[in-house]
Amino acid sequence: MHTPASKVSGYVVLMIVQIVFLVLFWLFVRYDKSALPARLDNEDAGSANEHVSKYPQFQDIQVMIFIGFGFLMTFLRKYGYSATGYTLFLAALVVQWAVLMKGFLHMEGGKISLSLESIIDADIAAAVPLISMGALLGRTTPIQLLCMSIIEVALFAANEYLALNILSICDCGGSITVHAFGAYFGLAVAMMLRPSSDQNEAGKHEGPNYTSDIFAMIGTTFLWVYWPSFNSVLAAGNGGERAILNTFLSLAAATVTSFVVSALVSHENKLDMVHVQNSTLAGGVAVGTVCNLLLGAHGAVLIGIIAGTVSVLGYRYLTPWLTSNLRLHDTCGVHNLHGMPALISAIASAIYASLVTMDNYQSELQDIFPAMVGNNGTTTKIMGGLGRNASSQAGYQLFGIALTLIIAIGGGILTGAALKYASFRNLQKDEQHQDEQYWEVPALEPKEE
Amino acid sequence: MHTPASKVSGYVVLMIVQIVFLVLFWLFVRYDKSALPARLDNEDAGSANEHVSKYPQFQDIQVMIFIGFGFLMTFLRKYGYSATGYTLFLAALVVQWAVLMKGFLHMEGGKISLSLESIIDADIAAAVPLISMGALLGRTTPIQLLCMSIIEVALFAANEYLALNILSICDCGGSITVHAFGAYFGLAVAMMLRPSSDQNEAGKHEGPNYTSDIFAMIGTTFLWVYWPSFNSVLAAGNGGERAILNTFLSLAAATVTSFVVSALVSHENKLDMVHVQNSTLAGGVAVGTVCNLLLGAHGAVLIGIIAGTVSVLGYRYLTPWLTSNLRLHDTCGVHNLHGMPALISAIASAIYASLVTMDNYQSELQDIFPAMVGNNGTTTKIMGGLGRNASSQAGYQLFGIALTLIIAIGGGILTGAALKYASFRNLQKDEQHQDEQYWEVPALEPKEE
Amino acid sequence: MHTPASKVSGYVVLMIVQIVFLVLFWLFVRYDKSALPARLDNEDAGSANEHVSKYPQFQDIQVMIFIGFGFLMTFLRKYGYSATGYTLFLAALVVQWAVLMKGFLHMEGGKISLSLESIIDADIAAAVPLISMGALLGRTTPIQLLCMSIIEVALFAANEYLALNILSICDCGGSITVHAFGAYFGLAVAMMLRPSSDQNEAGKHEGPNYTSDIFAMIGTTFLWVYWPSFNSVLAAGNGGERAILNTFLSLAAATVTSFVVSALVSHENKLDMVHVQNSTLAGGVAVGTVCNLLLGAHGAVLIGIIAGTVSVLGYRYLTPWLTSNLRLHDTCGVHNLHGMPALISAIASAIYASLVTMDNYQSELQDIFPAMVGNNGTTTKIMGGLGRNASSQAGYQLFGIALTLIIAIGGGILTGAALKYASFRNLQKDEQHQDEQYWEVPALEPKEE
């Protein structure tokens, strides 16, 4: 039963969360030295600019998170307020939480240091629950979504810490820690919230109209153009330029491939907007983990071709199969855009890691594969006794994706169970994929006088 | 009576204004040294790049002005051509005028120096009449709007000069000089143009439809993501990074708060798109004046929470009250998005100014609070005889907002009177909030064959 | 006759093209030194950032190509999937091809060097067929469009090489090599594909509706705000800042002029969205070739006023005349947005080139007009025996545009003939300007339960 009371208590809880964040910021967060006034007795006070050199890339990522994800999800014809609105709501909550959570894992002297880097990391973290939201789109209340996000981001931060700092895997564009994690967590939640077998048909509002499909193209296109910033923002040295080039080429190749494969496998050989909106982006995910490696242009293009193909085939054949056979609904098809391409990226990372030599990576080995450099910090020991060798690093890459899948799926199952059985209200079938339950909506066609 | 002649003469006047601008540019404007070729005998010819280091932030602000404001105002279902078109028209006229007006106040040797900084300032100046346009949206002709803008920008430039150069107040993100000025000027014009008491009901076209509300979210979201650029572009030194961080956190907290308060005070606890489109941005305004101060993360978040709350409550209770009781219509609710949050920012600036010490601000005191540094230019005299002390600076901050309100409201009353009683055509009630009077509009639903 | 078989074979050809690209990338393309790891024995390994200093401008251009062009063309009410989708498809194919084609013209040691500059050039090249697509919008199949693009980009690269490297003309913003080439090539193709005289009426779907016109404003506005990046990205030294300033002012003046002239010449003096969407941008094209010259603010504004006027008058009078008398359809009016403004820019470049002196351009003469500097590389000989004099450079500018027109129109005629008479399927009259032939389209108004 739908009672306003359930809404009120949910929103009140979210307000309390915001106030708890305020207190945690007050207790634990301090500006980084780079954001504090230079001391008067400091001679090199003029060198401040360097700390914000990544600001343009941060702004690109901001557009990806808020415009890109928000509008990509407007494709449902009666769910546009929710798509854009919940994206804003969720991301605004999560970025604060991510500053805190990631900060707690890297505290110094009991304080969290706040700098541009913190909010770059926070925006990247916001992508994770937004990916999961894509799987669940239209089938949860906003309260469920926000509560899920808080749990998910905490698990994401822990898993990322394990993968990058303990296992020392490379994952420059975050395909393993962000895309795979977000997709499989979301799918695990969707599995827990799956409908009973007599309610497995598509929701009556679950579809686009002509206008909503064009709104969604705003999201697709901004994600496309700014994806090189997402993948390269954390790359060091010249790896940043490689990350840009590889991502750009992989996206281009995936796009051409997606259009062709879409036409070849679709009804009457017509192009399908679902593929155009989503699979064109699969090249950005599939190149993510390896975007700063020495792929060569052909390597990037090959990854793009594979990703575009796999993604379209996933939408065409796998998603309907999962829906019919497992009752696993995946509204935006995040498995095809984020899940499988991220697995491709993880496998590629193992292959490329196995080919790493000191001679190729030179001064960047330390940044990209720190565990391959000797513990004594000298680079002369590389490939020697103290550091990992290449095939060992390849194994760690595979271990990294396996661990990520376990934590994401396990965490998703537990979170989904909580959303289903705790005192949350669950949407009824005919309440799904429409704004009206939670939004004031004007009449669809205002009367003309 | 609507006669084409009145339109023709209005547009001809605007063309003459454009030609006058051309002449003024020819007589007075010269490239700044940074935009001229380096002399061949100059050794340090290579250091040009530095002058355009703020170019990415300029481009973000361009998006805010033209896309952000333009699309935010598309929420009216029959006024989308006007919202996007007049924004472009008005801003294109005003940026030229602002280069000239602000240039006249800072001439050297009888010439205005043109550089990237000039057009950053011009874009910021364009925000001022666009804010006022929000108050009046749908109730003026384009000719009235453009004429208002020309007067307003001249007054804005004068007020800004007074506030920043004479009173030496801090206003890094322009909440006092831009947001408060634009909002209260626009409201004063709206007061002068208010309907007679028998025509006080809402216009029959004054409302959104589902599609127009989603178009408006394009504006909201781009304003949201790029707001840190608006607030930080004029900050010096490490204050730029603080401005980015504080603005980001304040926006995030205001967004979460706006959603929660919207749901709690709305009909049936449903979210209201007006709040989502506007109040989520109040955090950017409320932190504006103080964005480069040492707020701490908690200070920024607290300001955001207050701003989000005040803004939603303003939309819910104050705006309807002003409309019913004072016949003061405010189409976009700029009082709630720009007016009240700017007052909050001004008050915050007095509080934080009263806490300033030399020990905190070190080398940045000179930039942020120049009047607090001794007249003899040494910093050893700070807090001493020659410079202002902290509580005096706090007083000046309050004096700055008071002066701004007086000039904005006074200027708005005079301008509104001119728009009403001079030979301008005024829109009739049933001509309001629709494009058809001034635009060729296709049939709403083209016939399908 | 429409047979799925014709589609299948077309798409298969495009897939083969993609695979050929993969092979060419593998054989010929290598990372530039700037994108490779710095060698361990290299002392200045830290200076990498410089190579990506143009990255923010690259991202602006990405938005122009994919969002700007894509959405500008959504104004047709039933062709929005095609406008946004084919833009993505075409640009993704062309950027790869442009990296290869432009690379072949500048190979070193048999290899193409891949760097950020390569993909900036590739994005600029993508603009060329997108401009031509504007002329043809709605009257070709996607297969025709893509095949045309491949031929066009090869010719573009050759013509650009001739104009810039052999003739040494200045064309900083590409008005000659990009805009004039793309427009007249597209118009020549349109001439070859023109309808028979009994089918010359407008297509029944060839028009906007209210929503599609607002979608198009997304494209217009992003092109407007980022145009300074397009024009300035290839400028050297302080010329970059001048290019930004001149482009900004020219756009602003063209916008004001377009609105005024639109109102003065339109039916009932109402503003026309076609002019607002397109002619406001003519200032960016008309200033392109000369954007880094010493125009002065007044020069830029004057160019903008002329361009806005010519463009609106072109839409109002010339385009209908060409359609009626020559059966030359130009769906987006690229002749008025790109063609004529580019001719204005070429003429302006001859005028300004004739005024160049060593004393004005100083250290930048070498970059802007390399042929005016003596062959012996010294600048003391300037205007002397070895270099070109100013009036000779002016002549070369006119020769450059003439050559461009010849290659564009000649190439367009041959390409158009191939598209018409080779085994391509041609769209029937009633299949034009609608997505349904090549896209899965949902019912226009889904039934409400």
Side-chain angles (χ1 to χ4, degrees):
Chain A
M1 262 296 293
H2 171 210
T3 60
S6 72
K7 285 188 192 174
V8 168
S9 57
Y11 287 117
V12 167
V13 167
L14 292 172
M15 194 68 232
I16 291 168
V17 169
Q18 175 63 62
I19 289 164
V20 170
F21 287 175
L22 170 63
V23 174
L24 294 174
F25 278 115
W26 176 60
L27 292 176
F28 292 110
V29 178
R30 298 294 176 268
Y31 293 121
D32 183 73
K33 189 169 166 293
S34 70
L36 285 173
R39 298 198 64 80
L40 276 167
D41 49 16
N42 187 352
E43 293 302 312
D44 52 302
S47 64
N49 279 358
E50 203 170 307
H51 300 101
V52 289
S53 67
K54 288 185 169 176
Y55 183 66
Q57 277 155 287
F58 164 67
Q59 287 295 58
D60 295 349
I61 295 169
Q62 289 259 80
V63 173
M64 294 177 74
I65 297 299
F66 291 87
I67 291 280
F69 280 101
F71 278 87
L72 183 57
M73 294 193 277
T74 57
F75 76 99
L76 292 175
R77 65 179 172 269
K78 294 168 79 74
Y79 208 64
Y81 291 8
S82 300
T84 55
Y86 295 161
T87 296
L88 194 54
F89 192 3
L90 185 159
L93 192 80
V94 160
V95 291
Q96 299 177 64
W97 182 222
V99 167
L100 293 165
M101 272 308 300
K102 296 198 66 165
F104 286 134
L105 292 169
H106 300 89
M107 285 210 285
E108 283 176 29
K111 296 296 174 192
I112 293 169
S113 175
L114 181 70
S115 68
L116 180 64
E117 212 184 315
S118 318
I119 60 175
I120 291 173
D121 285 345
D123 264 12
I124 294 172
V128 179
L130 287 171
I131 292 168
S132 304
M133 173 178 161
L136 299 164
L137 195 71
R139 300 199 309 282
T140 67
T141 69
I143 320 289
Q144 285 177 313
L145 206 56
L146 278 270
C147 291
M148 177 197 84
S149 302
I150 292 169
I151 302 169
E152 182 173 5
V153 167
L155 288 172
F156 154 76
N159 178 66
E160 192 195 46
Y161 186 83
L162 277 177
L164 303 186
N165 297 62
I166 309 295
L167 301 185
S168 275
I169 68 166
C170 83
D171 189 25
C172 181
S175 296
I176 294 173
T177 51
V178 174
H179 294 283
F181 190 94
Y184 289 99
F185 185 98
L187 291 168
V189 172
M191 198 68 193
M192 295 307 291
L193 298 182
R194 66 182 184 168
S196 60
S197 56
D198 61 334
Q199 297 218 324
N200 197 35
E201 76 287 4
K204 67 181 174 183
H205 304 302
E206 190 177 359
N209 64 18
Y210 196 75
T211 300
S212 70
D213 258 341
I214 297 177
F215 275 122
M217 285 299 286
I218 298 173
T220 297
T221 317
F222 273 107
L223 287 169
W224 204 101
V225 299
Y226 287 145
W227 210 293
S229 291
F230 189 91
N231 278 358
S232 70
V233 68
L234 299 180
N238 293 352
E241 189 173 355
R242 281 201 305 285
I244 292 165
L245 296 168
N246 290 335
T247 304
F248 180 82
L249 289 172
S250 180
L251 281 168
T255 300
V256 172
T257 309
S258 296
F259 272 87
V260 169
V261 179
S262 176
L264 295 182
V265 302
S266 295
H267 175 65
E268 291 185 354
N269 300 118
K270 290 185 176 180
L271 296 165
D272 188 326
M273 280 300 269
V274 172
H275 307 157
V276 170
Q277 286 159 5
N278 294 282
S279 300
T280 52
L281 299 167
V285 178
V287 85
T289 298
V290 294
C291 64
N292 60 338
L293 303 188
L294 293 162
L295 311 179
H298 57 286
V301 168
L302 181 62
I303 288 173
I305 290 173
I306 295 170
T309 307
V310 167
S311 181
V312 172
L313 297 179
Y315 276 104
R316 184 74 178 81
Y317 303 108
L318 184 58
T319 297
W321 187 89
L322 292 173
T323 306
S324 323
N325 291 278
L326 303 185
R327 283 176 279 136
L328 178 54
H329 290 247
D330 177 3
T331 316
C332 296
V334 300
H335 190 235
N336 310 305
L337 166 49
H338 301 278
M340 290 190 296
L343 297 182
I344 293 170
S345 203
I347 294 166
S349 77
I351 296 170
Y352 281 101
S354 73
L355 303 171
V356 168
T357 69
M358 183 65 210
D359 196 46
N360 283 336
Y361 283 89
Q362 296 278 338
S363 61
E364 292 187 14
L365 194 67
Q366 174 85 46
D367 285 322
I368 302 178
F369 295 109
M372 296 178 77
V373 178
N375 288 334
N376 60 359
T378 66
T379 48
T380 53
K381 298 284 189 183
I382 288 163
M383 308 297 143
L386 293 170
R388 265 180 211 164
N389 65 23
S391 55
S392 170
Q393 179 68 36
Y396 272 93
Q397 294 293 131
L398 296 176
F399 186 38
I401 182 70
L403 184 76
T404 297
L405 292 177
I406 291 166
I407 294 178
I409 293 172
I413 288 172
L414 295 175
T415 307
L419 296 182
K420 184 156 192 175
Y421 301 111
S423 61
F424 291 100
R425 180 172 119 70
N426 284 284
L427 288 182
Q428 301 303 308
K429 187 80 191 174
D430 61 357
E431 296 170 345
Q432 293 177 350
H433 309 107
Q434 57 162 326
D435 291 325
E436 279 174 38
Q437 293 294 318
Y438 283 85
W439 294 83
E440 303 251 20
V441 176
L444 205 74
E445 199 55 43
K447 285 165 204 74
E448 291 299 311
E449 294 91 330
Chain B
M1 263 296 293
H2 171 211
T3 62
S6 72
K7 283 188 192 173
V8 168
S9 57
Y11 287 116
V12 167
V13 167
L14 292 172
M15 194 69 232
I16 291 168
V17 168
Q18 176 64 65
I19 290 165
V20 170
F21 287 175
L22 170 63
V23 174
L24 294 174
F25 277 115
W26 176 59
L27 292 175
F28 292 110
V29 178
R30 299 292 175 270
Y31 293 120
D32 184 72
K33 191 169 164 295
S34 70
L36 285 172
R39 298 199 65 79
L40 278 167
D41 48 16
N42 187 353
E43 292 304 311
D44 53 302
S47 64
N49 279 359
E50 202 170 309
H51 300 102
V52 290
S53 67
K54 288 186 168 176
Y55 184 66
Q57 276 155 289
F58 165 68
Q59 286 295 58
D60 295 350
I61 295 169
Q62 289 258 82
V63 173
M64 293 177 75
I65 297 298
F66 290 88
I67 291 280
F69 279 101
F71 278 87
L72 183 57
M73 295 193 276
T74 57
F75 75 99
L76 293 176
R77 65 181 173 267
K78 294 171 80 72
Y79 207 64
Y81 291 7
S82 300
T84 55
Y86 296 162
T87 296
L88 194 54
F89 193 2
L90 185 160
L93 192 80
V94 159
V95 291
Q96 299 177 65
W97 182 223
V99 167
L100 292 165
M101 271 310 297
K102 296 197 67 167
F104 286 134
L105 292 169
H106 300 90
M107 285 209 286
E108 284 177 27
K111 297 296 174 194
I112 293 167
S113 175
L114 182 70
S115 68
L116 179 65
E117 210 184 316
S118 317
I119 60 175
I120 290 174
D121 284 344
D123 264 13
I124 293 173
V128 179
L130 287 171
I131 292 168
S132 304
M133 174 178 161
L136 300 164
L137 195 70
R139 299 199 310 282
T140 67
T141 69
I143 319 290
Q144 286 177 312
L145 206 56
L146 278 270
C147 291
M148 178 198 84
S149 302
I150 291 169
I151 302 170
E152 182 174 4
V153 167
L155 288 172
F156 154 75
N159 179 65
E160 191 195 47
Y161 186 83
L162 277 177
L164 302 187
N165 297 61
I166 310 294
L167 301 185
S168 275
I169 68 166
C170 82
D171 189 25
C172 182
S175 297
I176 293 173
T177 53
V178 174
H179 293 284
F181 190 93
Y184 288 100
F185 185 97
L187 291 168
V189 173
M191 198 68 193
M192 294 307 291
L193 298 181
R194 66 181 183 169
S196 58
S197 57
D198 61 333
Q199 297 218 324
N200 197 36
E201 76 286 5
K204 68 182 174 183
H205 304 302
E206 190 177 0
N209 65 18
Y210 195 75
T211 300
S212 70
D213 258 342
I214 297 176
F215 275 122
M217 285 299 285
I218 298 173
T220 297
T221 318
F222 273 108
L223 287 170
W224 205 102
V225 298
Y226 286 146
W227 209 293
S229 291
F230 189 92
N231 278 357
S232 71
V233 69
L234 299 180
N238 294 353
E241 188 172 357
R242 281 200 306 283
I244 292 165
L245 297 168
N246 290 334
T247 304
F248 180 81
L249 289 173
S250 179
L251 281 167
T255 299
V256 172
T257 309
S258 296
F259 273 87
V260 169
V261 179
S262 176
L264 295 182
V265 301
S266 295
H267 176 68
E268 289 185 355
N269 300 119
K270 290 184 176 181
L271 296 164
D272 187 326
M273 280 299 269
V274 171
H275 307 156
V276 169
Q277 286 159 5
N278 294 281
S279 300
T280 51
L281 299 167
V285 178
V287 85
T289 298
V290 295
C291 65
N292 59 340
L293 303 188
L294 293 162
L295 310 180
H298 57 286
V301 167
L302 181 61
I303 288 172
I305 291 174
I306 294 170
T309 308
V310 168
S311 181
V312 171
L313 296 179
Y315 276 104
R316 185 73 179 83
Y317 301 108
L318 184 57
T319 297
W321 186 90
L322 292 173
T323 306
S324 323
N325 291 278
L326 303 184
R327 284 175 280 135
L328 179 55
H329 289 248
D330 177 5
T331 316
C332 295
V334 299
H335 189 236
N336 310 305
L337 168 48
H338 301 278
M340 290 189 297
L343 298 182
I344 293 169
S345 202
I347 293 166
S349 77
I351 295 169
Y352 282 101
S354 74
L355 303 171
V356 168
T357 69
M358 183 66 212
D359 197 46
N360 282 336
Y361 283 89
Q362 297 277 339
S363 61
E364 292 187 14
L365 194 66
Q366 175 86 46
D367 286 321
I368 302 178
F369 295 109
M372 296 179 77
V373 179
N375 289 333
N376 61 359
T378 66
T379 49
T380 53
K381 299 282 188 184
I382 288 165
M383 310 295 143
L386 293 170
R388 267 181 211 162
N389 63 25
S391 55
S392 171
Q393 179 68 37
Y396 272 93
Q397 294 294 129
L398 295 177
F399 186 37
I401 181 71
L403 185 75
T404 297
L405 292 177
I406 290 166
I407 294 178
I409 294 172
I413 288 172
L414 294 175
T415 307
L419 295 182
K420 184 156 190 177
Y421 300 112
S423 59
F424 291 100
R425 179 171 119 73
N426 284 284
L427 288 181
Q428 301 303 307
K429 187 79 190 174
D430 61 356
E431 296 170 345
Q432 294 177 350
H433 308 106
Q434 57 163 327
D435 291 325
E436 280 174 38
Q437 293 293 318
Y438 284 83
W439 294 84
E440 304 251 19
V441 176
L444 205 74
E445 198 55 44
K447 284 165 205 71
E448 291 300 310
E449 294 90 330
Chain C
M1 263 297 292
H2 171 210
T3 61
S6 72
K7 285 187 193 175
V8 168
S9 58
Y11 287 117
V12 167
V13 167
L14 292 172
M15 194 68 231
I16 293 168
V17 169
Q18 176 64 63
I19 290 164
V20 170
F21 287 175
L22 170 62
V23 174
L24 293 174
F25 277 115
W26 176 60
L27 292 176
F28 292 110
V29 178
R30 298 293 176 268
Y31 293 121
D32 182 73
K33 190 168 164 297
S34 71
L36 286 172
R39 298 197 65 79
L40 276 167
D41 48 16
N42 187 352
E43 293 302 312
D44 53 301
S47 64
N49 279 358
E50 205 171 306
H51 300 103
V52 289
S53 67
K54 287 185 169 176
Y55 183 66
Q57 276 155 289
F58 165 67
Q59 287 294 58
D60 295 349
I61 295 169
Q62 289 259 81
V63 173
M64 294 177 73
I65 297 298
F66 291 87
I67 291 279
F69 280 101
F71 279 88
L72 183 57
M73 296 193 276
T74 57
F75 75 99
L76 293 175
R77 65 181 172 268
K78 293 170 79 74
Y79 207 65
Y81 290 8
S82 300
T84 55
Y86 296 162
T87 297
L88 194 54
F89 193 1
L90 185 160
L93 192 79
V94 160
V95 291
Q96 299 178 65
W97 181 223
V99 167
L100 293 165
M101 272 309 299
K102 297 198 66 168
F104 286 133
L105 293 169
H106 299 89
M107 284 209 285
E108 283 175 29
K111 296 296 176 195
I112 293 169
S113 175
L114 182 71
S115 69
L116 179 64
E117 212 184 316
S118 318
I119 60 175
I120 291 174
D121 285 344
D123 264 12
I124 293 173
V128 179
L130 287 171
I131 291 169
S132 304
M133 174 178 162
L136 300 163
L137 194 70
R139 299 199 309 284
T140 66
T141 69
I143 319 290
Q144 285 177 313
L145 206 57
L146 278 271
C147 291
M148 178 197 84
S149 302
I150 291 169
I151 303 170
E152 182 174 4
V153 167
L155 287 172
F156 154 76
N159 178 64
E160 191 195 48
Y161 187 83
L162 277 177
L164 303 186
N165 297 61
I166 310 295
L167 300 185
S168 274
I169 69 166
C170 82
D171 189 25
C172 182
S175 296
I176 293 173
T177 51
V178 174
H179 293 284
F181 191 93
Y184 288 100
F185 186 98
L187 291 168
V189 172
M191 198 68 194
M192 294 307 292
L193 299 182
R194 67 181 182 168
S196 60
S197 57
D198 61 334
Q199 297 217 324
N200 197 36
E201 75 289 2
K204 68 181 174 183
H205 304 302
E206 189 177 0
N209 64 17
Y210 195 75
T211 300
S212 70
D213 258 341
I214 297 176
F215 275 122
M217 285 299 287
I218 298 173
T220 297
T221 317
F222 273 107
L223 287 170
W224 204 102
V225 299
Y226 286 146
W227 209 293
S229 291
F230 189 92
N231 279 357
S232 70
V233 69
L234 299 181
N238 294 353
E241 188 172 356
R242 280 201 306 285
I244 292 166
L245 296 169
N246 290 334
T247 304
F248 180 82
L249 289 173
S250 179
L251 282 167
T255 300
V256 172
T257 308
S258 296
F259 272 87
V260 170
V261 179
S262 177
L264 295 182
V265 302
S266 294
H267 177 67
E268 290 186 354
N269 301 119
K270 289 184 177 181
L271 296 165
D272 187 327
M273 280 300 268
V274 172
H275 308 156
V276 169
Q277 286 159 4
N278 294 281
S279 300
T280 52
L281 299 168
V285 178
V287 84
T289 299
V290 294
C291 65
N292 60 339
L293 304 188
L294 293 162
L295 311 179
H298 57 286
V301 168
L302 181 61
I303 288 172
I305 291 174
I306 294 169
T309 307
V310 167
S311 181
V312 172
L313 295 179
Y315 276 103
R316 184 73 178 81
Y317 302 109
L318 185 56
T319 297
W321 187 89
L322 292 173
T323 307
S324 322
N325 292 277
L326 303 185
R327 284 176 279 134
L328 178 55
H329 290 247
D330 177 4
T331 317
C332 295
V334 299
H335 189 236
N336 311 304
L337 168 49
H338 301 279
M340 291 190 296
L343 298 183
I344 293 170
S345 203
I347 294 167
S349 78
I351 295 171
Y352 280 102
S354 73
L355 302 171
V356 167
T357 68
M358 184 65 211
D359 196 46
N360 282 336
Y361 283 88
Q362 296 277 339
S363 61
E364 292 188 13
L365 195 66
Q366 176 85 46
D367 286 322
I368 302 179
F369 296 109
M372 296 179 76
V373 179
N375 289 334
N376 61 359
T378 66
T379 50
T380 53
K381 299 282 188 183
I382 286 164
M383 310 297 143
L386 293 170
R388 265 181 211 163
N389 64 25
S391 55
S392 170
Q393 178 68 36
Y396 272 92
Q397 294 294 130
L398 295 176
F399 186 38
I401 181 72
L403 185 77
T404 298
L405 291 177
I406 290 166
I407 295 177
I409 294 173
I413 287 172
L414 294 175
T415 307
L419 295 183
K420 184 156 191 175
Y421 300 112
S423 59
F424 290 100
R425 178 172 121 71
N426 284 284
L427 288 182
Q428 302 302 307
K429 187 79 191 175
D430 61 356
E431 295 169 346
Q432 294 178 351
H433 308 107
Q434 57 163 326
D435 291 325
E436 280 174 38
Q437 292 295 318
Y438 283 83
W439 293 85
E440 304 250 19
V441 176
L444 205 74
E445 199 55 42
K447 286 166 203 71
E448 290 300 311
E449 294 90 331

